Every structure is written in C-alpha cells, then in structure tokens.
C-alpha cells in the first residue's frame, strides 16, 4: 500500500509552475512559454526516507481566486481538486512583485476558505527564477522572514531552468505533509508504473 498526496501548484501566469513540475518529473525544461490553459494532473511516485508516496500534482491554470465553496470549485473546471488538496505550492517569480502579491492573496484565501483544522494545510511558497536574481524586487532574507514568521509557510527559492532546488522543494513540502499526517486514501501499489524511468524520484 502506498499513500497518495495531492499537491496543488498555484501562481500567476508565467512564473514557472509547469517548468518546475516538468523539471521535477521529466528533467526537462523549455525556454518557450506555452501558457497552461486547462488543469493538468501529474502522478509521479517518490521515495522519501524509504517510504513510497504517489503524488497527484495539480498544475492549476490561472484562477482569479481560490474557490470559496465546493460548488464554486465544481462549476469551474480549472479548480477541480484545489480545495481538498493535501498541500499547496504557491509559486512566484522573484523578479515580479505582482506575482508575489498574487501568492499573498491566494495564501490568505486558502486560510479563510478551507474549513476548520484543514486551514492548517501545509503551504510552501516558492520563489522561482533564482538564476535571474540580480533583477529581484526584494532581498531573499526579507521575503523569507515575512513568509516564515508572518504567514507561517515554508519558503524555498529555486530555478526550474537550472534544476536548482527543485527536488528540495518537493522534499520539503512532502516532509511537512507527512509529519502533519496529511494523508489521503490508500491505493493499491502500482510498482510497475511507478518504477518506470523518470517516474519515481528518490529524495
Ligand atoms: P507557468 O505559466 O507558471 O506554468 O510558467 P511556465 O512554466 O510555462 O514558464 C513561463 C516562462 O518562464 C517560460 O518561458 C519558461 O521558460 C520560463 N521559466 C520558467 N522557469 C524559469 C527559471 O527558473 N528561470 C528562467 N530564467 N526562466 C524560467
Ligand atoms: Mg503553466
């Protein structure tokens, strides 16, 4: 039996969400920007501390807000599964202050719109495009302190382009999620599929 964890990846358009996911799963990066128009689900398997997990990674297309109710989630195909995710990766571009404002808004809405103790869901804020750090709008330390101390979220900076800290960010999030017991259903092990080349990451 393996545990399944669903992770919703949310952020403003062009910040590198799809690039981070594809680098993590396929070791692949494209300079060409292809906007994600529909919700896409990736299902890699990972091994962390000797345990296997099936991840359900939702690449969420641009949404104006976090769905405030289950009915809103069902009416908007882009949001399916977003409210009940076991963890969130909120991506912004370290050179784009608007993308940080977007992450700030979504984080607030997750806390407000998820009910009861589920509002304490693990959230990792990710500053992408670290390779362009000369153009960053705020020093790393200042953002890190704000996100960790005030928002009570994890914080990692990465570069999807150079595959820098990409595995680390998933490892960090998974570590928090597992520690908090954020498990979903148990599914039958599908070893063959999981162990296909590039589908199982040992962290
Ligand atoms: P999404 O809309 O958030 O899914 O963004 P994409 O993953 O499609 O990436 C948007 C653009 O940013 C593409 O042209 C990527 O090549 C580029 N990009 C993504 N990650 C990085 C990065 O770490 N560094 C640099 N320099 N460019 C990146
Ligand atoms: Mg995309």
């Amino acid at each position: 039996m393996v545990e399944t964890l669903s992770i919703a990846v949310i952020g403003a358009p062009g910040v590198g969400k799809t690039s981070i996911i594809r680098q993590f799963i396929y070791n692949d990066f494209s300079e060409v920007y292809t906007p994600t128009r529909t919700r896409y689900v990736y299902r890699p398997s990972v091994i962390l501390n000797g345990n296997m997990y099936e991840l359900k990674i939702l690449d969420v297309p641009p949404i104006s807000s976090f769905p405030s109710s289950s009915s809103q989630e069902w009416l908007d195909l882009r949001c399916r599964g977003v409210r009940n995710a076991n963890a969130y990766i909120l991506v912004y571009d370290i050179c784009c202050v608007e993308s940080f404002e977007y992450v700030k808004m979504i984080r607030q809405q997750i806390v407000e719109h998820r009910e009861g103790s589920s509002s304490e869901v693990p959230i990792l804020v990710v500053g992408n495009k670290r390779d362009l750090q000369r153009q960053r709008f705020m020093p790393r330390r200042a953002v890190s302190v704000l996100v960790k101390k005030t928002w009570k979220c994890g914080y990692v900076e990465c570069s999807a382009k150079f595959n820098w800290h990409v595995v680390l960010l998933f490892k960090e999030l998974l570590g928090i999620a597992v520690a908090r017991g954020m498990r979903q259903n148990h599914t039958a092990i599908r070893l063959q599929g999981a162990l296909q080349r590039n589908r199982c990451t040992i962290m």
Side-chain angles (χ1 to χ4, degrees):
M1 302 289 263
V2 271
E3 289 171 13
T4 303
L5 276 139
S6 75
I7 301 171
V9 183
I10 306 176
V15 295
K17 300 177 293 297
T18 305
S19 301
I20 290 171
I21 300 168
R22 295 191 65 85
Q23 186 61 272
F24 176 60
I25 302 174
Y26 304 119
N27 285 109
D28 178 36
F29 177 78
S30 167
E31 293 278 356
V32 182
Y33 179 33
T34 313
T36 308
R37 306 218 183 274
T38 52
R39 170 183 165 282
Y40 201 89
V41 182
Y42 297 81
R43 292 180 173 276
S45 299
V46 297
I47 293 174
L48 178 70
N49 300 331
N51 297 315
M52 180 179 271
Y53 301 91
E54 285 195 340
L55 304 185
K56 182 179 165 193
I57 303 177
L58 306 178
D59 188 356
V60 182
I63 49 175
S64 55
S65 60
F66 186 83
S68 57
S69 63
S70 303
S71 55
Q72 197 197 331
E73 182 182 71
W74 276 95
L75 286 172
D76 187 346
L77 272 175
R78 294 168 305 174
C79 301
R80 289 275 166 90
V82 165
R83 274 174 67 80
N84 292 324
N86 301 117
Y88 295 91
I89 295 178
L90 305 185
V91 185
Y92 79 99
D93 171 350
I94 63 164
C95 309
C96 174
V97 68
E98 291 81 13
S99 70
F100 187 69
E101 291 299 325
Y102 179 83
V103 157
K104 186 175 170 185
M105 174 191 82
I106 295 288
R107 203 257 352 158
Q108 189 61 38
Q109 292 173 348
I110 291 172
V111 175
E112 280 167 13
H113 297 323
R114 283 183 55 122
E115 287 126 35
S117 60
S118 74
S119 62
E120 286 160 26
V121 65
I123 301 175
L124 183 70
V125 174
V126 172
N128 187 37
K129 308 199 184 181
R130 179 68 196 261
D131 54 293
L132 304 176
Q133 80 146 334
R134 286 202 189 131
Q135 296 149 48
R136 65 185 310 144
F137 63 85
M138 196 166 159
R140 191 192 64 80
R141 181 141 176 83
V143 193
S144 174
V145 168
L146 171 70
V147 169
K148 288 182 177 167
K149 297 256 163 70
T150 314
W151 300 4
K152 311 272 185 261
C153 299
Y155 184 70
V156 171
E157 290 196 352
C158 76
S159 168
K161 182 171 179 174
F162 293 102
N163 201 2
W164 192 71
H165 281 183
V166 172
V167 172
L168 177 94
L169 77 90
F170 281 95
K171 189 174 174 179
E172 182 122 340
L173 184 66
L174 196 55
I176 305 171
V178 170
R180 291 200 198 166
M182 296 286 174
R183 288 140 202 191
Q184 217 175 33
N185 50 327
H186 287 263
T187 53
I189 192 160
R190 292 197 299 264
L191 251 187
Q192 224 177 351
L195 295 180
Q196 274 172 12
R197 199 168 155 264
N198 288 342
R199 282 212 53 217
C200 185
T201 304
I202 297 171
M203 309 202 293

